[in-house]
Amino acid sequence: MSRFTRRITCALPLGALVLLQACSGGRSGTKTTDQQETVSALSPWLQTQQNLQVQQLTFSSSDQLAPMGIPGSSDIVYQSNGDGNWELYRIHLASGTMTRITDSPENEEDPSFSPDGRRVLCTVAPATAMQAPPRDILLMSPEGKERRIVAQHGADDWFPRFSPDGEGIYFVSDRVDERLQIEDEERRSAIFFYSLRSDELRQITAGEDETAPLPMADGTLVYRAGDGALHLMDPSSGQDQRLLAADRGVYGRPVNLSHHWILPGRYEQLASVLFAADADFGEVMPYFAEAAVPQRTPCVFETANDLYLVWSEFHEGQWDLFYQIQYRQP
């Protein structure tokens, strides 16, 4: 398979510089009495990333979204609507070899793998043309077999992710909202935890439209609050702190890359563009210096030799997968 390759330039127009200063929240430095120029802690790291090649992974007439790495392999799993409904595929990063995981009349979306690589999570729902039906959480083998619905309720469940130990599932559900005669998109949601060992289900957040859970290795949970702010919670104690204020932009679920964060946000006329943030979200800047096309659903994937940043980008009329190799180990 051929590869589309490009280089990212570092030049920023004046308007973009103004926006970057606003996004940085004033953490980039302070001028002294001798008018010393401000120095951003994030800018040197971003400039390093601009020297990395961006390569196109898929070349399709359909949409490819939601890539996630498969532990213990050099493959990623993603969703594609090439057959008219959403199905799951896996692709080898080096060769581009593609393998289909699911083949059903339903929509399977938003995949993720367990830490040991032996189980797959995704959402599943009937493929209807009228409106999006409630989704369920589907657990299955890497080959798409042994399909099992977990924590089924009849409500809409989405954003499933394994806990770091692989023994539980975090997901979002609107089952907390008992209001009647409201539009589905107006229903409030909460984050839940389902134990695969005991079948116990616990509500983790208050139910004020929280979403996008990101389980961390230390047991904490990053999520998006109803107002768009990013929070960090300790589910065992309930302690909660805000990481990024809602007025800093519309952000989705972040991923951690080399002690920095990559997350989708809004940039000028583009509703979904990758942003970078430092370790404590003190600074936020567009990841690509000149964002010309929408980008979304970033993931970070590490193999034995390389670290990849993979995302979906709107290219020639559809969403295709792109990636950067972040470093090469000796």
Side-chain angles (χ1 to χ4, degrees):
M1 177 181 289
S2 62
R3 288 287 184 271
F4 167 88
T5 304
R6 69 174 182 224
R7 290 279 184 177
I8 303 299
T9 60
C10 295
L12 282 170
L14 178 61
L17 285 173
V18 173
L19 178 60
L20 295 191
Q21 291 172 355
C23 287
S24 69
R27 287 289 303 276
S28 59
T30 306
K31 286 188 177 182
T32 61
T33 54
D34 60 357
Q35 299 300 307
Q36 178 181 352
E37 290 297 321
T38 61
V39 177
S40 167
L42 187 59
S43 292
W45 181 82
L46 276 173
Q47 290 173 2
T48 300
Q49 309 313 299
Q50 308 311 319
N51 294 323
L52 301 176
Q53 287 186 343
V54 174
Q55 301 188 58
Q56 187 172 351
L57 183 61
T58 62
F59 299 78
S60 176
S61 59
S62 58
D63 292 326
Q64 328 296 317
L65 293 170
M68 290 292 290
I70 302 177
S73 75
S74 297
D75 296 4
I76 61 171
V77 61
Y78 63 96
Q79 67 185 61
S80 173
N81 62 356
D83 286 346
N85 64 297
W86 292 107
E87 303 285 357
L88 302 187
Y89 293 79
R90 64 186 294 167
I91 187 170
H92 190 267
L93 287 168
S95 66
T97 302
M98 188 183 306
T99 304
R100 186 166 183 160
I101 295 178
T102 62
D103 187 1
S104 77
E106 300 171 301
N107 283 329
E108 285 96 359
E109 302 178 66
D110 196 15
S112 64
F113 265 73
S114 60
D116 61 8
R118 296 180 178 179
R119 292 166 295 175
V120 185
L121 278 177
C122 68
T123 62
V124 60
T128 62
M130 298 298 295
Q131 63 181 25
R135 291 160 287 185
D136 289 314
I137 306 301
L138 177 64
L139 179 67
M140 59 185 169
S141 71
E143 297 76 30
K145 309 297 184 182
E146 304 172 13
R147 295 163 66 100
R148 169 191 168 196
I149 302 296
V150 299
Q152 192 170 25
H153 180 274
D156 194 14
D157 301 332
W158 68 99
F159 268 136
R161 289 296 181 267
F162 280 100
S163 59
D165 61 7
E167 297 298 330
I169 299 170
Y170 289 97
F171 67 95
V172 181
S173 178
D174 66 2
R175 64 185 68 190
V176 296
D177 198 334
E178 298 180 351
R179 295 177 297 165
L180 301 176
Q181 298 179 348
I182 61 172
E183 297 294 332
D184 287 342
E185 62 268 18
E186 297 176 357
R187 297 188 66 83
R188 290 192 293 264
S189 60
I191 296 173
F192 286 78
F193 177 79
Y194 174 76
S195 171
L196 291 169
R197 282 187 172 182
S198 65
D199 289 332
E200 177 189 3
L201 182 67
R202 291 188 293 122
Q203 184 174 333
I204 301 299
T205 59
E208 298 177 355
D209 211 23
E210 301 89 8
T211 189
L214 175 65
M216 306 296 290
D218 62 1
T220 57
L221 186 72
V222 175
Y223 70 95
R224 181 182 173 190
D227 63 357
L230 283 178
H231 284 244
L232 176 68
M233 169 184 281
D234 182 351
S236 61
S237 67
Q239 292 183 340
D240 192 287
Q241 69 178 93
R242 189 177 68 179
L243 298 175
L244 185 66
D247 59 4
R248 301 281 291 280
V250 180
Y251 297 96
R253 181 168 43 205
V255 294
N256 194 263
L257 173 64
S258 303
H259 307 293
H260 293 80
W261 294 90
I262 305 296
L263 63 166
R266 185 180 299 274
Y267 181 67
E268 295 182 345
Q269 283 76 39
L270 300 178
S272 182
V273 177
L274 300 189
F275 280 71
D278 57 13
D280 63 357
F281 292 95
E283 291 185 275
V284 180
M285 298 181 180
Y287 181 75
F288 294 112
E290 294 180 345
V293 295
Q295 298 130 358
R296 59 190 296 188
T297 62
C299 80
V300 174
F301 178 48
E302 190 167 7
T303 67
N305 299 314
D306 299 307
L307 180 69
Y308 291 83
L309 174 65
V310 188
W311 67 93
S312 294
E313 183 170 302
F314 196 72
H315 178 70
E316 296 183 356
Q318 67 275 326
W319 293 94
D320 269 307
L321 300 181
F322 288 75
Y323 69 95
Q324 281 182 320
I325 302 179
Q326 296 295 317
Y327 66 79
R328 292 185 181 274
Q329 297 176 346

